[in-house]
Amino acid sequence: MIFRTVTEIPDDGLKVGYGDGILMLGSCFTVSVGERLKQRLMEVCINPFGTLYNPASIAQAVERLVENRSFTADDLFEYKGMWHSFAHHSRFSSSDRGKALQMINAGYTEAVEALHKAKVLIATFGTAYVFKRGGAVVANCHKLPACEFERVMLGVDETVGIWSKTVELLAKFNPVMKIVFTVSPIRHLADGLHGNQLSKATLLLAVDALVKKYGQCSYFPSYEIMTDELRDYRFYAADMTHPSEVAVDYVMERFADAYFTADTCRKAEACLKLYRMANHRPLTDNAAEISRFRESMRAYACKLSEKLPCIADKIAVLLQ
């Protein structure tokens, strides 16, 4: 007997392999899966604006990348001794205005290049709630007084309208690129359980409408995998809202099943093995044993570079 419901993932024909660029934008669930792709040495750019939670902020980020309009000092503001951007996560903030701008534009430049090359954009929506300041949606409030913001929930039609414009913009910018939407399974309990469900339902309905409307769009059911296949608190982290490492590993497996060929899966496992070797902490201080291990790793890396010359540079960096 089978004691769980396995989520079906429709085959939309999209396959991602080595040499294919991936740009990932969205909630922190994007980082969890994206880092696993990086560990497999795939060509992936993860959250160049930092964590973005709502569909409007993610769309704004994409549109700014298409415009190829980098940020200036005028885009930053100072609050309690720190310089911030309303378009970015706080990891780009700094007490030094120039440093903050440098970090922001370094990520931006990388993302513009990634968008040009990308075979697929993966957009993960976390919540339908947005904060507005002066009528404009901000990606992060940076702990400014709550009275400066209006908190509202985007509607289904509003979300579809925002992203219809973005999808059509991307179709002109990079006609071969596919868009994969996901809805983050991370629960936003500050909204209450009912509020969280309303928010997720809004996102799911909007994504479904976009997938039906545009042939280049598809949906990866990370939300359903977590809430149905793994419907047990043992698959959550200690905060009971974020998926555990085991859960994210399983979602990564389902992602690979959906978007990797059998050959790509084998290559990914080989790359992951090298990544783990490079990050292995020796359990001995015996110099001869450590030297033998490093020689074995270099030989393995050399063979892998021959099989996958497109990632030889990544392998070289890993061995440094």
Side-chain angles (χ1 to χ4, degrees):
M1 291 187 290
I2 299 175
F3 291 98
R4 64 188 176 97
T5 303
V6 178
T7 306
E8 288 189 21
I9 304 175
D11 184 2
D12 62 0
L14 174 63
K15 296 298 177 185
V16 181
Y18 286 89
D20 294 329
I22 305 170
L23 175 59
M24 303 181 73
L25 297 168
S27 81
C28 46
F29 190 73
T30 292
V31 178
S32 298
V33 175
E35 285 300 327
R36 282 159 173 78
L37 292 171
K38 270 197 169 181
Q39 290 170 8
R40 289 157 176 81
L41 307 186
M42 303 201 80
E43 191 65 42
V44 57
C45 176
I46 308 166
N47 273 354
F49 289 74
T51 307
L52 302 174
Y53 298 98
N54 69 79
S57 292
I58 299 171
Q60 288 172 358
V62 171
E63 288 167 18
R64 181 126 189 183
L65 292 175
V66 171
E67 292 170 1
N68 198 11
R69 180 167 53 92
S70 60
F71 290 82
T72 69
D74 291 339
D75 292 310
L76 306 184
F77 69 93
E78 188 271 339
Y79 181 64
K80 291 188 176 181
M82 296 289 286
W83 288 92
H84 309 278
S85 160
F86 279 125
H88 290 78
H89 187 265
S90 58
R91 73 177 172 88
F92 289 93
S93 300
S94 174
S95 58
D96 184 315
R97 190 183 195 183
K99 183 179 178 181
L101 187 61
Q102 187 276 327
M103 289 191 294
I104 285 169
N105 279 329
Y108 181 83
T109 301
E110 178 190 0
V112 169
E113 184 179 354
L115 190 62
H116 274 285
K117 296 179 180 178
K119 179 177 182 178
V120 59
L121 166 68
I122 301 175
T124 303
F125 298 163
T127 178
Y129 287 97
V130 300
F131 286 92
K132 291 185 176 182
R133 188 173 188 267
V137 173
V138 301
N140 198 299
C141 297
H142 298 293
K143 298 184 178 180
L144 269 69
C147 61
E148 294 192 22
F149 302 92
E150 176 190 11
R151 187 171 185 267
V152 298
M153 190 170 80
L154 298 173
V156 174
D157 291 343
E158 187 177 7
T159 304
V160 172
I162 291 169
W163 267 88
S164 290
K165 177 185 174 184
T166 304
V167 171
E168 290 165 12
L169 191 65
L170 286 171
K172 295 177 182 177
F173 179 80
N174 184 345
V176 301
M177 186 173 65
K178 304 295 184 182
I179 302 169
V180 176
F181 293 108
T182 76
V183 172
S184 172
I186 296 170
R187 300 184 300 161
H188 292 253
L189 296 184
D191 302 323
L193 288 172
H194 183 60
N196 176 70
Q197 290 297 85
L198 291 175
S199 170
K200 299 295 188 185
T202 299
L203 299 175
L204 290 166
L205 287 167
V207 167
D208 187 64
L210 288 164
V211 170
K212 289 176 179 175
K213 186 176 181 181
Y214 297 103
Q216 68 266 49
C217 296
S218 61
Y219 174 65
F220 176 71
S222 56
Y223 180 82
E224 291 81 357
I225 291 170
M226 189 69 203
T227 57
D228 278 310
E229 286 192 52
L230 307 179
R231 53 162 67 198
D232 192 300
Y233 277 112
R234 66 195 168 106
F235 294 113
Y236 284 86
D239 63 3
M240 295 294 121
T241 60
H242 289 74
S244 67
E245 291 297 304
V246 170
V248 179
D249 284 341
Y250 180 73
V251 173
M252 178 64 221
E253 285 182 19
R254 297 302 312 278
F255 181 90
D257 290 342
Y259 299 116
F260 291 177
T261 64
D263 182 59
T264 299
C265 284
R266 285 190 292 270
K267 291 173 179 175
E269 285 304 308
C271 290
L272 182 60
K273 179 180 177 179
L274 178 62
Y275 173 86
R276 288 172 174 167
M277 290 172 74
N279 287 275
H280 173 69
R281 183 174 64 86
L283 300 178
T284 177
D285 59 1
N286 185 295
E289 282 193 31
I290 293 173
S291 179
R292 281 194 294 272
F293 175 80
R294 288 177 176 169
E295 281 300 317
S296 173
M297 180 176 67
R298 281 193 284 268
Y300 183 84
C302 184
K303 290 181 180 179
L304 194 58
S305 292
E306 291 174 359
K307 291 180 181 178
L308 285 168
C310 62
I311 61 165
D313 57 336
K314 293 183 183 297
I315 293 173
V317 169
L318 196 60
L319 296 181
Q320 290 177 355

